[in-house]
């Protein structure tokens, strides 16, 4: 059994490069900073409204804030990590050396993809202590967190496939990076805009009921939609997501169709997996300099 | 070993490779010569399976590269004219990485790597970062890399370009060793003397067309026409001259003491036949040499139109 040589090499060089540790430190510092600011602002609230005891609601909200920040940070990092994977090899003039070896282009793509996913996993796992602290107070179960991490990985996988596909498509690093941010933004916000446009033009004449299933048909490609599943509900609180999350959950429950059983993250993950496979296959095909010829 | 049939590569309306055919048999060192922009790199990239031609066939070791590119690529070693290195790898890690890329099992890698680094004289640099190597060393490292799968066919695109004379000599030394190892090599250059002594065959490409190809001697015959035959005899000069004058392949004759200079046009068979006749006539031949026109001048003659030569890419 042989490890993918590209994965093996990139992991080795990444782990001993200072960049990885700078990235990791910045990432943790940022999460920690957000958390600190959050508690600080709550302390001020305590003073104003005169709560005297520890309030677990605040911890739940802190969990939500942190999870959201983490998710957005990952969304910012993944395109930067992946969109130079192939264009970087091209710019460095090492791509031909890989392509002339007879290694399958699928192996090259998968190697690059797994490197970025491993990189993301490193960030997520390293942030566990920070999040753990919050869960401790927030009453979030271990399984919920594990599920959220699974969703992170699946989303990162999709974002990485997208980045790599654009990296194969565009020859220059810069173009590839910009393109992947644009595409990722379109993916995240586009469905919401589509739903909005629908509402403006057709909403008035629509006689059916606006159900969860109906909205999901618009929003399923958006990572933001999938992420909603992981916001923790709670008692309605002064500020924060608790009540909003409860509303959403009720809304989902009310849907009469079978879609009710599929949480947003499941629908989004199914899309992510299918879309990733498509992008990976397309990237491998595009990267291949020689297309097999059919015998006449 | 390598057969290229009617290869065409067009970029838009520009034809970079124009109906080019060539054949290289096993163990040959084939020099691929042409001026800048003649189409050498394009042709070699197509042969290495890195570029889709507009039309034409490439058959390597009996297999058409467009039928099973990956099988064929495993048999090839390719060194591009411009290449990069991963600057964050050490020399032995670099070799190890490409060994992995070629699917060589872990247990064999160290042995192969050591052997090849020895061949290109980089054993001492094993623990150095690739980035710290000199240009010539990087070139040698890339050459070692291209040999990692023990290729049947080696494609080297200007392996000595951009190097100083000393580094060029080192590369040549390695190529000579490859020749001794009976590797089949396709090597390109836009400078002829660089290849003349090394190659067993030469193909000259100009504006995408193969204008001449064959063994070094054949090309010389074909292009130079006349060559100077020098015969040195111990005695009996008159007899020798008379016999030489009877040969249809010999034109003018000049006598200089016991040295006879004759203008000769013909191939090796005729050449040896003439020697045989001289010996049969009891003429004591001391030396018998054919002086060819230098390849360089043939080349210049061939591509007079763009005769100006620039040395470094
Ligand atoms: N991607 C491309 N698009 C358009 N034209 C190209 C492309 N690649 C090469 N060419 C053209 O094809 C011709 C042949 O180029 P090639 O690199 O094969 O020449 P060469 O013989 O290797 O020259 P040199 O000695 O400078 O390396 C050149 O005129 C070049 O401009
Ligand atoms: Mg070239």
């Amino acid at each position: 059994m042989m490890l993918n040589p590209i994965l093996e090499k990139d992991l080795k060089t990444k782990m001993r490069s200072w960049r990885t540790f700078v990235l990791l430190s910045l990432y943790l510092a940022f999460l920690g900073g957000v958390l600190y600011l959050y508690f600080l602002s709550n302390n001020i609230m305590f003073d104003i409204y005169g709560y005297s005891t520890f309030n677990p609601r605040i911890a739940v909200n802190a969990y939500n804030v942190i999870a959201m920040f983490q998710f957005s940070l990952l969304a910012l990092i993944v395109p930067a990590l992946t969109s130079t994977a192939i264009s970087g090899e091209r710019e460095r003039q090492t791509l031909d050396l890989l392509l002339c070896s007879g290694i399958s282009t699928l192996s090259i793509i998968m190697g690059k993809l797994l490197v970025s996913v491993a990189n993301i996993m490193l960030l997520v796992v390293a942030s566990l202590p920070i999040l753990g602290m919050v869960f401790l107070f927030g009453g979030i179960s271990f399984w919920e967190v594990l599920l959220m991490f699974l969703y992170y990985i699946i989303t990162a996988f999709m974002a990485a496939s997208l980045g790599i596909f654009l990296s194969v498509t565009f020859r220059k690093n810069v173009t590839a990076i910009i393109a992947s941010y644009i595409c990722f933004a379109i993916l995240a916000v586009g469905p919401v805009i589509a739903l909005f446009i629908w509402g403006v033009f057709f909403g008035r004449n629509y006689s059916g009921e606006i159900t969860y299933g109906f909205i999901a048909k618009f929003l399923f490609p958006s990572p933001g939609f999938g992420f909603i599943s992981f916001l923790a509900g709670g008692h309605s609180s002064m500020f924060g997501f608790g009540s909003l999350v409860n509303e959403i959950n009720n809304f989902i429950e009310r849907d009469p169709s079978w879609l009710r059983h599929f949480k947003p993250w499941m629908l989004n993950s199914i899309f992510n997996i299918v879309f990733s496979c498509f992008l990976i296959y397309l990237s491998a095909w595009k990267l291949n300099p020689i297309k097999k010829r059919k015998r006449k | 070993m390598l057969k290229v049939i009617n290869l065409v590569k067009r970029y838009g309306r520009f034809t970079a490779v124009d109906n080019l055919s060539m054949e290289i048999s096993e163990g040959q060192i084939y020099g691929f010569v042409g001026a800048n922009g003649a189409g050498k790199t394009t042709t070699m990239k197509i042969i290495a399976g890195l570029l889709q031609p507009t039309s034409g066939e490439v058959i390597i070791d009996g297999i058409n590269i467009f039928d099973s590119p990956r099988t064929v690529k495993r048999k090839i070693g390719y060194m591009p004219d411009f290449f990069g290195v991963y600057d964050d790898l050490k020399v032995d890690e670099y070799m190890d990485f490409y060994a992995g890329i070629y699917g060589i099992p872990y247990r064999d890698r160290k042995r192969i790597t050591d052997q090849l680094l020895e061949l290109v004289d980089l054993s001492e640099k094993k623990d150095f970062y690739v980035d710290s190597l000199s240009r010539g060393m990087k070139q040698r490292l890339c050459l070692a890399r291209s040999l990692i799968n023990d290729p049947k066919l080696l494609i080297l695109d200007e392996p000595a370009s951009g190097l100083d004379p000393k580094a060029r000599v080192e590369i040549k030394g390695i190529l000579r060793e490859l020749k001794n190892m009976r590797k089949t090599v396709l090597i390109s250059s836009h400078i002829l003397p660089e290849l003349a002594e090394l190659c067993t065959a030469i193909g000259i490409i100009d504006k995408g067309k193969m204008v001449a190809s064959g063994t070094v001697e054949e090309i010389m015959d074909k292009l130079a026409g006349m060559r100077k035959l020098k015969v040195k005899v111990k005695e009996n000069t008159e007899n020798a001259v008379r016999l030489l004058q009877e040969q249809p392949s010999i034109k003018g004759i000049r006598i200089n003491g016991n040295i006879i200079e004759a203008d000769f046009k013909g191939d090796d068979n005729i050449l040896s036949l003439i020697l045989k006749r001289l010996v049969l006539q009891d003429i004591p031949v001391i030396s018998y040499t054919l002086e060819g026109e230098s390849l360089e001048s043939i080349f210049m003659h061939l591509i007079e139109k763009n005769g100006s030569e620039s040395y470094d890419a």
Side-chain angles (χ1 to χ4, degrees):
Chain A
M1 182 53 202
M2 226 161 84
L3 208 59
N4 183 309
I6 293 173
L7 174 67
E8 195 180 338
K9 183 206 77 166
D10 280 9
L11 282 185
K12 182 163 64 186
T13 53
K14 276 232 160 79
M15 285 320 284
R16 68 184 179 204
S17 139
W18 56 269
R19 269 179 238 140
T20 307
F21 288 93
V22 170
L23 178 69
L24 186 59
S25 313
L26 281 179
Y27 178 75
L28 292 181
F30 200 75
L31 277 187
V34 167
L35 196 62
Y36 176 74
L37 282 180
Y38 183 78
F39 277 111
L40 195 69
S41 67
N42 274 295
N43 267 333
I44 297 168
M45 290 294 182
F46 288 162
D47 293 343
I48 297 171
Y49 291 96
Y51 290 113
S52 54
T53 51
F54 175 77
N55 186 343
R57 273 204 307 256
I58 304 244
V60 170
N61 275 334
Y63 161 84
N64 283 335
V65 168
I66 280 293
M68 227 157 66
F69 262 95
Q70 189 177 35
F71 195 62
S72 337
L73 270 185
L74 292 180
L76 285 177
I77 292 171
V78 176
L81 279 180
T82 53
S83 53
T84 58
I86 302 296
S87 57
E89 297 270 348
R90 221 189 279 273
E91 281 194 357
R92 215 193 288 116
Q93 295 184 310
T94 45
L95 185 61
D96 274 356
L97 300 183
L98 296 180
L99 292 179
C100 75
S101 70
I103 191 173
S104 75
T105 47
L106 190 62
S107 304
I108 299 178
I109 300 288
M110 284 313 286
K112 292 289 180 189
L113 200 68
L114 292 177
V115 175
S116 5
V117 172
N119 222 319
I120 295 303
M121 279 171 89
L122 174 72
L123 295 183
V124 170
V125 169
S127 68
L128 258 177
I130 294 186
L131 290 179
M133 197 170 71
V134 182
F135 310 146
L136 203 68
F137 298 121
I140 312 295
S141 85
F142 175 71
W143 289 111
E144 280 173 294
V145 178
L146 208 64
L147 211 59
M148 182 171 77
F149 280 6
L150 175 71
Y151 176 68
Y152 278 178
I153 301 299
I154 293 174
T155 311
F157 196 74
M158 186 279 293
S161 318
L162 183 62
I164 285 176
F165 171 72
L166 293 165
S167 187
V168 173
T169 308
F170 294 100
R171 304 195 147 242
K172 283 218 153 97
N173 276 341
V174 194
T175 337
I177 291 178
I178 295 172
S180 67
Y181 276 115
I182 293 176
C183 286
F184 198 75
I186 290 176
L187 202 60
V189 188
V192 182
I193 296 177
L195 183 62
F196 181 73
I197 291 176
W198 180 88
V200 168
F201 288 100
F202 306 103
R204 232 182 291 257
N205 305 325
Y206 184 69
S207 52
E209 202 187 343
I210 307 275
T211 59
Y212 163 67
F214 178 81
I215 288 182
K217 273 177 204 144
F218 277 92
L219 296 187
F220 72 93
S222 170
F225 171 68
F227 181 72
I228 289 176
S229 311
F230 297 103
L231 291 173
H235 326 281
S236 53
S237 62
M238 275 180 319
F239 57 98
F241 314 91
S243 53
L244 179 67
V245 171
N246 287 343
E247 289 282 321
I248 293 171
N249 284 339
N250 289 337
F251 181 63
I252 294 175
E253 283 303 312
R254 277 203 306 273
D255 188 298
S257 75
W258 53 272
L259 270 172
R260 175 176 72 234
H261 305 292
F262 288 85
K263 299 242 170 65
W265 78 271
M266 295 179 193
L267 295 177
N268 184 232
S269 293
I270 292 171
F271 165 77
N272 282 346
I273 291 169
V274 172
F275 192 45
S276 298
C277 292
F278 171 71
L279 286 173
I280 291 169
Y281 180 80
L282 202 62
S283 307
W285 183 81
K286 278 195 89 149
L287 189 59
N288 197 353
I290 295 193
K291 317 284 186 245
K292 262 194 195 183
R293 208 185 276 168
K294 280 186 217 90
R295 281 268 133 193
K296 281 150 260 164
Chain B
M1 173 57 60
L2 169 69
K3 210 166 171 183
V4 174
I5 307 163
N6 298 337
L7 203 63
V8 177
K9 177 72 192 178
R10 289 199 193 92
Y11 291 109
R13 288 166 66 195
F14 175 77
T15 308
V17 177
D18 193 357
N19 219 17
L20 183 140
S21 298
M22 66 168 143
E23 196 166 348
I24 305 180
S25 45
E26 198 152 354
Q28 264 190 335
I29 311 280
Y30 192 97
F32 197 35
V33 193
N36 286 119
K40 304 181 293 288
T41 299
T42 309
T43 308
M44 288 173 126
K45 274 190 153 181
I46 294 171
I47 296 172
L50 292 171
L51 202 61
Q52 183 94 27
T54 309
S55 67
E57 302 295 332
V58 175
I59 294 154
I60 292 169
D61 203 22
I63 307 173
N64 192 319
I65 189 162
F66 306 114
D67 287 341
S68 34
R70 290 180 56 200
T71 321
V72 173
K73 282 179 183 180
R74 289 283 190 227
K75 298 168 185 261
I76 304 179
Y78 171 66
M79 178 173 170
D81 47 353
F82 298 107
F83 60 91
V85 291
Y86 300 101
D87 47 17
D88 44 9
L89 284 182
K90 290 178 179 162
V91 168
D92 58 344
E93 290 171 339
Y94 175 89
M95 292 296 284
D96 194 76
F97 169 62
Y98 283 104
I101 291 288
Y102 279 93
I104 295 165
Y106 289 107
R107 59 181 183 311
D108 298 334
R109 291 190 195 170
K110 196 178 147 27
R111 177 179 50 82
I112 294 172
T113 297
D114 286 350
Q115 256 173 23
L116 289 175
L117 288 181
E118 185 73 46
L119 175 74
V120 299
D121 199 21
L122 281 177
S123 300
E124 270 112 75
K125 295 283 178 183
K126 232 166 138 173
D127 293 324
F128 283 59
Y129 276 97
V130 174
D131 207 26
S132 69
L133 299 184
S134 72
R135 169 126 194 215
M137 288 175 185
K138 279 183 192 159
Q139 218 110 339
R140 266 146 55 201
L141 181 62
C142 192
L143 192 55
R145 179 206 56 81
S146 67
L147 285 163
I148 202 148
N149 55 333
D150 193 21
K152 290 192 148 183
L153 173 68
L154 199 57
I155 302 169
L156 308 175
D157 198 353
E158 310 209 19
S161 76
L163 297 182
D164 62 28
K166 184 171 163 283
R168 275 168 188 264
V169 170
E170 283 166 351
I171 293 272
K172 259 193 208 170
I174 298 168
L175 292 178
R176 211 161 284 130
E177 236 160 293
L178 293 179
K179 190 176 182 175
N180 294 338
M181 288 157 73
R182 304 278 305 143
K183 290 265 179 217
T184 311
V185 184
L186 171 63
I187 177 172
S188 83
S189 172
H190 59 270
I191 310 165
L192 249 176
E194 202 174 87
L195 293 181
E197 31 169 329
L198 258 158
C199 296
T200 55
I202 279 185
I204 298 175
I205 179 174
D206 186 37
K207 295 196 179 121
K209 282 200 175 73
M210 191 70 102
V211 286
S213 71
T215 63
V216 177
E217 294 81 27
E218 272 169 11
I219 286 202
M220 285 167 114
D221 280 355
K222 195 164 156 192
L223 299 166
M226 294 296 172
R227 282 185 294 168
K228 209 188 291 169
L229 179 65
K230 257 190 185 174
V231 186
K232 194 172 170 187
V233 292
K234 203 166 156 223
E235 52 198 355
N236 240 346
T237 316
E238 302 89 325
N239 275 349
V241 170
R242 200 176 317 122
L243 192 139
L244 285 173
Q245 271 167 344
E246 285 165 19
Q247 307 302 319
S249 55
I250 286 179
K251 303 289 183 283
I253 286 185
R254 293 167 297 279
I255 302 160
N256 186 1
N258 60 346
I259 298 171
I260 308 162
E261 282 185 3
D263 290 332
F264 169 81
K265 185 173 186 173
D267 62 13
D268 290 351
N269 295 333
I270 301 173
L271 204 61
S272 66
L273 199 70
I274 295 175
L275 177 61
K276 195 169 158 192
R277 287 189 182 142
L278 284 170
V279 175
L280 283 176
Q281 290 278 321
D282 273 339
I283 295 165
V285 177
I286 298 172
S287 77
Y288 185 82
T289 50
L290 190 62
E291 284 183 352
E293 198 179 332
S294 82
L295 275 174
E296 181 76 353
S297 65
I298 295 172
F299 182 55
M300 296 308 292
H301 168 72
L302 249 177
I303 50 166
E304 265 160 5
K305 292 143 269 171
N306 34 339
S308 68
E309 211 178 357
S310 62
Y311 270 75
D312 272 335

